[in-house]
Amino acid sequence: MSDDFILDTDDLQRRMDGAMNSLKTEFASLRTGRASGSMLEPVMVDAYGSMTPINQVGTVNVPEPRMVTINVWDKGLVGKVEKAIRESGLGINPQLNGTIIMLPIPELNEERRRELTKVAAQYAEHARVSVRNVRRDGMDQIKKAKADGMSEDDQKFWETEVQELTDKAIKAVDAALENKQAEIMQV
């Protein structure tokens, strides 16, 4: 039985990568004082009876570093898109120009920058917890195999493999957090 045990490290790696991808998505929604089309991804518009992402009701452009524009395809949705942006909590005041909604990105003050770095740190901690949960699942599989007769050498080998995957994923999360915090604090 013990010779048959092979831990699916690809699955563990895929799940840890999923935690990292989720972190990148959360980081993209944080406003850094620079315009980015991705900052509108979490905003949903009540269009045609269902909640729809903004990029499915209009074209999102970044014509200059402190401006995002949305060219809404259906004139009837302009007001709903504007309302969704106002209620999103992004702290952006939309300006209408026909079917084009302009979003001037205000300069962030020092206090707001510090708040955003704390939010980024919380997102990173959630990603670390996800990675550790994947590690725990892998270690549980190894313990189960040990109970089924796996040798101690094999157990140590697999535990080392799982720990190396975990260390690599945690380093990636920490590096991403450091980059994001530097980006937020940059004036």
Short mmCIF file of all heavy atoms in Angstrom, two decimals, residues 60-112:
data_model
loop_
_atom_site.label_atom_id
_atom_site.label_comp_id
_atom_site.label_asym_id
_atom_site.label_seq_id
_atom_site.Cartn_x
_atom_site.Cartn_y
_atom_site.Cartn_z
N VAL A 60 -14.69 50.46 -21.36
CA VAL A 60 -13.92 51.14 -20.33
C VAL A 60 -12.55 51.50 -20.91
O VAL A 60 -11.84 50.64 -21.43
CB VAL A 60 -13.73 50.25 -19.08
CG1 VAL A 60 -12.89 50.96 -18.02
CG2 VAL A 60 -15.08 49.87 -18.50
N ASN A 61 -12.19 52.79 -20.84
CA ASN A 61 -10.91 53.27 -21.36
C ASN A 61 -10.19 54.08 -20.30
O ASN A 61 -10.82 54.65 -19.40
CB ASN A 61 -11.11 54.18 -22.58
CG ASN A 61 -11.60 53.39 -23.78
OD1 ASN A 61 -11.08 52.34 -24.09
ND2 ASN A 61 -12.62 53.92 -24.44
N VAL A 62 -8.86 54.17 -20.45
CA VAL A 62 -8.04 55.01 -19.57
C VAL A 62 -7.27 55.97 -20.49
O VAL A 62 -6.14 55.69 -20.88
CB VAL A 62 -7.08 54.16 -18.72
CG1 VAL A 62 -6.29 55.04 -17.76
CG2 VAL A 62 -7.85 53.10 -17.95
N PRO A 63 -7.89 57.12 -20.85
CA PRO A 63 -7.25 58.03 -21.80
C PRO A 63 -6.06 58.80 -21.23
O PRO A 63 -5.20 59.24 -21.97
CB PRO A 63 -8.37 58.98 -22.20
CG PRO A 63 -9.32 58.94 -21.05
CD PRO A 63 -9.22 57.55 -20.47
N GLU A 64 -6.03 58.96 -19.90
CA GLU A 64 -4.92 59.67 -19.27
C GLU A 64 -4.73 59.11 -17.86
O GLU A 64 -5.62 58.43 -17.35
CB GLU A 64 -5.16 61.19 -19.25
CG GLU A 64 -6.48 61.61 -18.64
CD GLU A 64 -6.78 63.07 -18.86
OE1 GLU A 64 -7.13 63.45 -19.98
OE2 GLU A 64 -6.66 63.82 -17.88
N PRO A 65 -3.59 59.37 -17.21
CA PRO A 65 -3.28 58.74 -15.92
C PRO A 65 -4.29 58.96 -14.81
O PRO A 65 -4.41 58.12 -13.94
CB PRO A 65 -1.92 59.36 -15.53
CG PRO A 65 -1.33 59.81 -16.81
CD PRO A 65 -2.47 60.17 -17.71
N ARG A 66 -5.04 60.04 -14.83
CA ARG A 66 -6.00 60.31 -13.76
C ARG A 66 -7.45 60.34 -14.25
O ARG A 66 -8.28 61.02 -13.66
CB ARG A 66 -5.65 61.63 -13.07
CG ARG A 66 -4.33 61.60 -12.38
CD ARG A 66 -4.33 62.50 -11.17
NE ARG A 66 -3.16 62.27 -10.36
CZ ARG A 66 -3.08 61.33 -9.42
NH1 ARG A 66 -4.09 60.57 -9.17
NH2 ARG A 66 -1.98 61.18 -8.73
N MET A 67 -7.74 59.60 -15.32
CA MET A 67 -9.10 59.63 -15.88
C MET A 67 -9.46 58.24 -16.44
O MET A 67 -8.69 57.63 -17.14
CB MET A 67 -9.17 60.66 -17.01
CG MET A 67 -10.51 60.75 -17.72
SD MET A 67 -11.80 61.53 -16.75
CE MET A 67 -11.27 63.20 -16.78
N VAL A 68 -10.65 57.79 -16.08
CA VAL A 68 -11.23 56.58 -16.67
C VAL A 68 -12.51 57.02 -17.34
O VAL A 68 -13.27 57.82 -16.79
CB VAL A 68 -11.55 55.51 -15.60
CG1 VAL A 68 -12.23 54.31 -16.22
CG2 VAL A 68 -10.31 55.09 -14.85
N THR A 69 -12.75 56.53 -18.57
CA THR A 69 -14.02 56.84 -19.24
C THR A 69 -14.76 55.54 -19.53
O THR A 69 -14.14 54.50 -19.76
CB THR A 69 -13.80 57.60 -20.56
OG1 THR A 69 -13.03 56.79 -21.44
CG2 THR A 69 -13.11 58.93 -20.34
N ILE A 70 -16.07 55.64 -19.50
CA ILE A 70 -16.92 54.51 -19.86
C ILE A 70 -17.87 55.00 -20.93
O ILE A 70 -18.65 55.93 -20.70
CB ILE A 70 -17.74 54.01 -18.64
CG1 ILE A 70 -16.82 53.70 -17.47
CG2 ILE A 70 -18.56 52.79 -19.02
CD1 ILE A 70 -17.53 53.63 -16.16
N ASN A 71 -17.78 54.39 -22.10
CA ASN A 71 -18.70 54.72 -23.20
C ASN A 71 -19.84 53.70 -23.13
O ASN A 71 -19.69 52.56 -23.58
CB ASN A 71 -17.96 54.65 -24.55
CG ASN A 71 -18.81 55.17 -25.68
OD1 ASN A 71 -19.98 55.48 -25.49
ND2 ASN A 71 -18.22 55.24 -26.85
N VAL A 72 -20.97 54.11 -22.56
CA VAL A 72 -22.10 53.20 -22.36
C VAL A 72 -22.82 53.00 -23.69
O VAL A 72 -23.14 53.96 -24.38
CB VAL A 72 -23.07 53.77 -21.29
CG1 VAL A 72 -24.21 52.82 -21.04
CG2 VAL A 72 -22.32 54.07 -20.00
N TRP A 73 -23.04 51.72 -24.04
CA TRP A 73 -23.63 51.40 -25.34
C TRP A 73 -25.11 51.74 -25.42
O TRP A 73 -25.60 52.16 -26.45
CB TRP A 73 -23.42 49.92 -25.66
CG TRP A 73 -21.97 49.53 -25.71
CD1 TRP A 73 -20.96 50.24 -26.29
CD2 TRP A 73 -21.37 48.38 -25.14
NE1 TRP A 73 -19.77 49.59 -26.12
CE2 TRP A 73 -19.98 48.43 -25.43
CE3 TRP A 73 -21.85 47.29 -24.43
CZ2 TRP A 73 -19.10 47.46 -25.03
CZ3 TRP A 73 -20.96 46.31 -24.04
CH2 TRP A 73 -19.60 46.40 -24.34
N ASP A 74 -25.84 51.56 -24.33
CA ASP A 74 -27.29 51.81 -24.31
C ASP A 74 -27.56 53.09 -23.52
O ASP A 74 -27.29 53.15 -22.32
CB ASP A 74 -27.98 50.60 -23.67
CG ASP A 74 -29.49 50.73 -23.65
OD1 ASP A 74 -30.01 51.82 -23.96
OD2 ASP A 74 -30.16 49.73 -23.33
N LYS A 75 -28.13 54.11 -24.20
CA LYS A 75 -28.38 55.40 -23.54
C LYS A 75 -29.23 55.25 -22.29
O LYS A 75 -29.09 56.00 -21.34
CB LYS A 75 -29.08 56.36 -24.50
CG LYS A 75 -28.18 56.90 -25.58
CD LYS A 75 -28.93 57.86 -26.49
CE LYS A 75 -28.02 58.35 -27.60
NZ LYS A 75 -28.71 59.20 -28.55
N GLY A 76 -30.13 54.27 -22.30
CA GLY A 76 -31.01 54.06 -21.15
C GLY A 76 -30.30 53.59 -19.90
O GLY A 76 -30.84 53.64 -18.80
N LEU A 77 -29.08 53.10 -20.05
CA LEU A 77 -28.34 52.57 -18.89
C LEU A 77 -27.37 53.58 -18.28
O LEU A 77 -26.78 53.31 -17.24
CB LEU A 77 -27.55 51.32 -19.29
CG LEU A 77 -28.37 50.08 -19.62
CD1 LEU A 77 -27.47 48.95 -20.07
CD2 LEU A 77 -29.20 49.64 -18.43
N VAL A 78 -27.20 54.74 -18.91
CA VAL A 78 -26.21 55.71 -18.43
C VAL A 78 -26.46 56.06 -16.97
O VAL A 78 -25.54 56.08 -16.15
CB VAL A 78 -26.20 56.98 -19.32
CG1 VAL A 78 -25.31 58.06 -18.72
CG2 VAL A 78 -25.75 56.64 -20.72
N GLY A 79 -27.71 56.36 -16.62
CA GLY A 79 -28.05 56.72 -15.23
C GLY A 79 -27.78 55.58 -14.26
O GLY A 79 -27.28 55.81 -13.16
N LYS A 80 -28.07 54.34 -14.68
CA LYS A 80 -27.84 53.19 -13.80
C LYS A 80 -26.34 52.94 -13.58
O LYS A 80 -25.92 52.59 -12.48
CB LYS A 80 -28.50 51.94 -14.38
CG LYS A 80 -30.01 51.98 -14.31
CD LYS A 80 -30.62 50.71 -14.82
CE LYS A 80 -32.12 50.74 -14.67
NZ LYS A 80 -32.76 49.50 -15.10
N VAL A 81 -25.55 53.14 -14.64
CA VAL A 81 -24.09 52.97 -14.52
C VAL A 81 -23.54 54.02 -13.57
O VAL A 81 -22.74 53.73 -12.68
CB VAL A 81 -23.40 53.04 -15.90
CG1 VAL A 81 -21.90 53.06 -15.75
CG2 VAL A 81 -23.83 51.87 -16.78
N GLU A 82 -24.01 55.28 -13.75
CA GLU A 82 -23.56 56.36 -12.88
C GLU A 82 -23.92 56.06 -11.42
O GLU A 82 -23.09 56.22 -10.52
CB GLU A 82 -24.20 57.69 -13.32
CG GLU A 82 -23.78 58.86 -12.46
CD GLU A 82 -24.58 60.12 -12.74
OE1 GLU A 82 -25.67 60.04 -13.33
OE2 GLU A 82 -24.10 61.19 -12.32
N LYS A 83 -25.14 55.60 -11.19
CA LYS A 83 -25.61 55.28 -9.83
C LYS A 83 -24.76 54.15 -9.23
O LYS A 83 -24.36 54.22 -8.07
CB LYS A 83 -27.08 54.88 -9.87
CG LYS A 83 -27.66 54.57 -8.52
CD LYS A 83 -29.12 54.16 -8.62
CE LYS A 83 -29.65 53.79 -7.25
NZ LYS A 83 -30.86 53.01 -7.30
N ALA A 84 -24.46 53.13 -10.03
CA ALA A 84 -23.67 51.99 -9.54
C ALA A 84 -22.27 52.45 -9.12
O ALA A 84 -21.74 51.99 -8.11
CB ALA A 84 -23.57 50.91 -10.62
N ILE A 85 -21.68 53.37 -9.89
CA ILE A 85 -20.34 53.87 -9.55
C ILE A 85 -20.39 54.70 -8.27
O ILE A 85 -19.54 54.55 -7.38
CB ILE A 85 -19.76 54.71 -10.72
CG1 ILE A 85 -19.49 53.80 -11.91
CG2 ILE A 85 -18.48 55.42 -10.29
CD1 ILE A 85 -19.22 54.53 -13.20
N ARG A 86 -21.42 55.55 -8.14
CA ARG A 86 -21.55 56.38 -6.93
C ARG A 86 -21.71 55.51 -5.69
O ARG A 86 -21.19 55.82 -4.63
CB ARG A 86 -22.75 57.31 -7.04
CG ARG A 86 -22.53 58.50 -7.93
CD ARG A 86 -23.71 59.48 -7.82
NE ARG A 86 -23.76 60.40 -8.93
CZ ARG A 86 -22.98 61.46 -9.05
NH1 ARG A 86 -22.10 61.71 -8.13
NH2 ARG A 86 -23.08 62.25 -10.10
N GLU A 87 -22.46 54.41 -5.81
CA GLU A 87 -22.76 53.56 -4.65
C GLU A 87 -21.70 52.49 -4.40
O GLU A 87 -21.81 51.73 -3.46
CB GLU A 87 -24.13 52.90 -4.84
CG GLU A 87 -25.27 53.90 -4.82
CD GLU A 87 -26.62 53.28 -5.12
OE1 GLU A 87 -26.66 52.08 -5.53
OE2 GLU A 87 -27.63 53.98 -4.98
N SER A 88 -20.69 52.42 -5.26
CA SER A 88 -19.69 51.35 -5.16
C SER A 88 -18.70 51.52 -4.02
O SER A 88 -18.01 50.59 -3.65
CB SER A 88 -18.91 51.25 -6.47
OG SER A 88 -18.09 52.40 -6.63
N GLY A 89 -18.59 52.73 -3.47
CA GLY A 89 -17.63 52.96 -2.40
C GLY A 89 -16.22 53.23 -2.91
O GLY A 89 -15.27 53.24 -2.13
N LEU A 90 -16.07 53.46 -4.21
CA LEU A 90 -14.74 53.76 -4.76
C LEU A 90 -14.30 55.19 -4.45
O LEU A 90 -13.14 55.52 -4.57
CB LEU A 90 -14.74 53.57 -6.29
CG LEU A 90 -14.80 52.14 -6.81
CD1 LEU A 90 -14.93 52.13 -8.32
CD2 LEU A 90 -13.55 51.37 -6.39
N GLY A 91 -15.25 56.03 -4.08
CA GLY A 91 -14.92 57.42 -3.76
C GLY A 91 -14.66 58.25 -5.00
O GLY A 91 -13.89 59.19 -4.98
N ILE A 92 -15.32 57.87 -6.10
CA ILE A 92 -15.14 58.59 -7.37
C ILE A 92 -16.47 59.25 -7.74
O ILE A 92 -17.52 58.63 -7.63
CB ILE A 92 -14.71 57.63 -8.50
CG1 ILE A 92 -13.39 56.96 -8.13
CG2 ILE A 92 -14.58 58.35 -9.82
CD1 ILE A 92 -12.96 55.89 -9.09
N ASN A 93 -16.41 60.49 -8.20
CA ASN A 93 -17.61 61.22 -8.58
C ASN A 93 -17.72 61.23 -10.11
O ASN A 93 -16.99 61.95 -10.78
CB ASN A 93 -17.52 62.65 -8.03
CG ASN A 93 -18.85 63.35 -8.10
OD1 ASN A 93 -19.88 62.71 -8.26
ND2 ASN A 93 -18.82 64.66 -7.98
N PRO A 94 -18.64 60.44 -10.70
CA PRO A 94 -18.76 60.38 -12.15
C PRO A 94 -19.31 61.69 -12.75
O PRO A 94 -20.14 62.35 -12.14
CB PRO A 94 -19.73 59.23 -12.40
CG PRO A 94 -20.28 58.83 -11.10
CD PRO A 94 -19.56 59.55 -10.02
N GLN A 95 -18.83 62.03 -13.95
CA GLN A 95 -19.32 63.20 -14.67
C GLN A 95 -19.86 62.71 -16.02
O GLN A 95 -19.18 61.98 -16.74
CB GLN A 95 -18.18 64.20 -14.90
CG GLN A 95 -17.58 64.70 -13.62
CD GLN A 95 -16.30 65.49 -13.84
OE1 GLN A 95 -15.78 65.55 -14.94
NE2 GLN A 95 -15.80 66.10 -12.78
N LEU A 96 -21.07 63.15 -16.35
CA LEU A 96 -21.72 62.71 -17.58
C LEU A 96 -21.40 63.64 -18.75
O LEU A 96 -21.32 64.85 -18.60
CB LEU A 96 -23.23 62.66 -17.40
CG LEU A 96 -23.77 61.62 -16.43
CD1 LEU A 96 -25.28 61.73 -16.32
CD2 LEU A 96 -23.38 60.23 -16.87
N ASN A 97 -21.23 63.03 -19.93
CA ASN A 97 -21.04 63.77 -21.17
C ASN A 97 -21.74 62.94 -22.26
O ASN A 97 -21.08 62.17 -22.96
CB ASN A 97 -19.55 63.95 -21.45
CG ASN A 97 -19.31 64.79 -22.69
OD1 ASN A 97 -20.24 65.26 -23.33
ND2 ASN A 97 -18.04 64.95 -23.03
N GLY A 98 -23.06 63.05 -22.36
CA GLY A 98 -23.82 62.22 -23.30
C GLY A 98 -23.82 60.78 -22.82
O GLY A 98 -24.24 60.50 -21.71
N THR A 99 -23.34 59.84 -23.65
CA THR A 99 -23.28 58.44 -23.24
C THR A 99 -21.92 58.10 -22.64
O THR A 99 -21.67 56.95 -22.30
CB THR A 99 -23.55 57.49 -24.44
OG1 THR A 99 -22.56 57.74 -25.43
CG2 THR A 99 -24.93 57.68 -24.99
N ILE A 100 -21.04 59.08 -22.52
CA ILE A 100 -19.72 58.84 -21.94
C ILE A 100 -19.72 59.32 -20.49
O ILE A 100 -20.12 60.44 -20.19
CB ILE A 100 -18.62 59.56 -22.75
CG1 ILE A 100 -18.56 58.98 -24.16
CG2 ILE A 100 -17.27 59.45 -22.05
CD1 ILE A 100 -17.58 59.66 -25.07
N ILE A 101 -19.29 58.44 -19.61
CA ILE A 101 -19.15 58.78 -18.20
C ILE A 101 -17.66 58.94 -17.93
O ILE A 101 -16.88 58.03 -18.18
CB ILE A 101 -19.76 57.69 -17.30
CG1 ILE A 101 -21.25 57.53 -17.59
CG2 ILE A 101 -19.52 58.02 -15.83
CD1 ILE A 101 -21.90 56.39 -16.84
N MET A 102 -17.29 60.11 -17.43
CA MET A 102 -15.88 60.37 -17.11
C MET A 102 -15.69 60.24 -15.61
O MET A 102 -16.49 60.75 -14.83
CB MET A 102 -15.47 61.76 -17.59
CG MET A 102 -15.53 61.91 -19.10
SD MET A 102 -15.06 63.53 -19.69
CE MET A 102 -16.39 64.52 -19.07
N LEU A 103 -14.62 59.55 -15.22
CA LEU A 103 -14.32 59.35 -13.82
C LEU A 103 -12.94 59.95 -13.51
O LEU A 103 -11.93 59.28 -13.68
CB LEU A 103 -14.30 57.86 -13.47
CG LEU A 103 -15.55 57.05 -13.83
CD1 LEU A 103 -15.32 55.58 -13.62
CD2 LEU A 103 -16.72 57.53 -13.01
N PRO A 104 -12.90 61.21 -13.06
CA PRO A 104 -11.60 61.78 -12.68
C PRO A 104 -11.15 61.14 -11.37
O PRO A 104 -11.92 61.07 -10.41
CB PRO A 104 -11.89 63.27 -12.51
CG PRO A 104 -13.37 63.36 -12.34
CD PRO A 104 -13.99 62.14 -12.94
N ILE A 105 -9.92 60.66 -11.34
CA ILE A 105 -9.39 59.99 -10.16
C ILE A 105 -8.71 61.03 -9.27
O ILE A 105 -7.70 61.60 -9.66
CB ILE A 105 -8.37 58.89 -10.55
CG1 ILE A 105 -8.95 57.97 -11.63
CG2 ILE A 105 -7.91 58.12 -9.32
CD1 ILE A 105 -10.19 57.22 -11.23
N PRO A 106 -9.28 61.29 -8.09
CA PRO A 106 -8.68 62.31 -7.22
C PRO A 106 -7.37 61.82 -6.60
O PRO A 106 -7.16 60.62 -6.47
CB PRO A 106 -9.74 62.53 -6.14
CG PRO A 106 -10.56 61.29 -6.14
CD PRO A 106 -10.49 60.71 -7.52
N GLU A 107 -6.53 62.76 -6.23
CA GLU A 107 -5.28 62.44 -5.55
C GLU A 107 -5.62 61.88 -4.17
O GLU A 107 -6.53 62.36 -3.51
CB GLU A 107 -4.47 63.74 -5.40
CG GLU A 107 -3.07 63.55 -4.89
CD GLU A 107 -2.16 62.90 -5.91
OE1 GLU A 107 -2.17 63.31 -7.07
OE2 GLU A 107 -1.45 61.96 -5.51
N LEU A 108 -4.91 60.84 -3.75
CA LEU A 108 -5.16 60.25 -2.43
C LEU A 108 -4.38 61.03 -1.37
O LEU A 108 -3.22 61.38 -1.58
CB LEU A 108 -4.69 58.79 -2.41
CG LEU A 108 -5.45 57.82 -3.29
CD1 LEU A 108 -4.77 56.47 -3.26
CD2 LEU A 108 -6.87 57.68 -2.83
N ASN A 109 -5.01 61.28 -0.22
CA ASN A 109 -4.28 61.92 0.86
C ASN A 109 -3.53 60.86 1.67
O ASN A 109 -3.76 59.66 1.52
CB ASN A 109 -5.22 62.76 1.75
CG ASN A 109 -6.29 61.93 2.42
OD1 ASN A 109 -6.16 60.72 2.55
ND2 ASN A 109 -7.34 62.59 2.87
N GLU A 110 -2.64 61.31 2.52
CA GLU A 110 -1.77 60.39 3.28
C GLU A 110 -2.56 59.42 4.14
O GLU A 110 -2.26 58.22 4.19
CB GLU A 110 -0.83 61.22 4.16
CG GLU A 110 0.21 60.41 4.90
CD GLU A 110 1.27 59.81 3.99
OE1 GLU A 110 1.47 60.31 2.87
OE2 GLU A 110 1.92 58.84 4.41
N GLU A 111 -3.62 59.90 4.79
CA GLU A 111 -4.43 59.05 5.66
C GLU A 111 -5.10 57.93 4.85
O GLU A 111 -5.10 56.77 5.26
CB GLU A 111 -5.49 59.90 6.37
CG GLU A 111 -6.36 59.13 7.34
CD GLU A 111 -7.44 60.00 7.98
OE1 GLU A 111 -7.29 61.24 7.98
OE2 GLU A 111 -8.43 59.42 8.44
N ARG A 112 -5.65 58.29 3.70
CA ARG A 112 -6.32 57.30 2.85
C ARG A 112 -5.31 56.28 2.32
O ARG A 112 -5.61 55.08 2.24
CB ARG A 112 -7.02 58.02 1.68
CG ARG A 112 -7.80 57.10 0.78
CD ARG A 112 -9.02 56.51 1.47
NE ARG A 112 -9.74 55.69 0.51
CZ ARG A 112 -10.25 54.51 0.79
NH1 ARG A 112 -10.17 54.01 2.00
NH2 ARG A 112 -10.87 53.81 -0.13
#
